[in-house]
Amino acid sequence: MTADLQAPVRSLGSWTIGLVGIAGLAAIIAGVYTTREALVVVAVLIAAAVGIGWPHFLRIPAKKTLAAVIALPGAAAAIAAATVPGPGFLDWTPAFIAVGMMAVFVVQLIRGTGQAQRLESTLGCCVGVLLSCLGSGWVAGARFNGVREMLLVAAISAAVALLTGLIRWPDSVVAPLGMVLAGLAGPLAGLVFSDIAVLPAAIFGVVVGAVLASFRRMATLRGAPLNVPAALSMGLAPVSAVGSLAYFIDKLLIY
């Protein structure tokens, strides 16, 4: 492994990752309550940030090429979710995920045999493509039934989970604590801001807490400190994932 892969330009801690995630949630909710175009711009920027930073988080070669391969499908999925006719707002998202993953394999083939970290690049970047495209769920959720409060409840639950993740306790303590607090925040936010039933909001909060706890564990297991692009990606990747999660839970449990 080269020194370039091992030494980040600037090291950032978990506080930066959490604050980036909260800022991303705030930008999404601002877009939800303004115009669809503003929300699409935010979703595209989040996909770009995830794409640019994910190869830095993985510490793999060919960062610029793989950044484009990860970011472009996510941006296209967000635009498609805003423009396709309903009710299949995410019909094009699986196609963009598939195209992005195929592009990852093509990049690895072009690099040739015997290149360093090909397996890590392939598997890790396929996950990055998935996370980038899942952000289109925020746009689809805003269009689904016009109930913007559901997305607000989702953002509040995610913010509580992110804030819990900033506590410098072991993952074995923070993970269940984050799930419990996010599970409580969902129903409370639902009671205050909307008429969403308590049980679906609680289930959603617990699921969001579990997802964000898993991302915290990923950052912990990485061991090495993060540079700026990697921190941006790790802060916004779980926010992107929560978008599609909120959309499907809204369809399955609430609508």
Side-chain angles (χ1 to χ4, degrees), residues 132-162:
S132 175
C133 291
L134 289 179
S136 59
W138 289 107
V139 182
R143 294 186 63 194
F144 174 53
N145 56 15
V147 181
R148 297 176 294 183
E149 288 77 14
M150 174 57 197
L151 298 181
L152 179 60
V153 170
I156 291 173
S157 297
V160 169
L162 286 172

Side-chain angles (χ1 to χ4, degrees), residues 205-235:
V206 171
V207 174
V208 168
V211 170
L212 296 183
S214 68
F215 276 90
R216 184 182 191 272
R217 183 59 177 167
M218 285 175 56
T220 303
L221 292 175
R222 185 180 186 273
L226 304 179
N227 60 8
V228 175
L232 288 174
S233 182
M234 277 305 293

Side-chain angles (χ1 to χ4, degrees), residues 79 97 101-102 118 132 162 165 188 211 232 252:
I79 295 172
I97 293 173
M101 289 185 177
M102 287 189 292
R118 290 187 70 188
S132 175
L162 286 172
L188 289 175
V211 170
L232 288 174
L252 293 173

Side-chain angles (χ1 to χ4, degrees), residues 144-145 150 196-197 200-201 204 246 248-255:
F144 174 53
N145 56 15
M150 174 57 197
I196 297 174
F204 176 76
F248 286 113
I249 288 182
D250 193 8
K251 291 188 70 173
L252 293 173
L253 297 181
I254 297 175
Y255 179 66

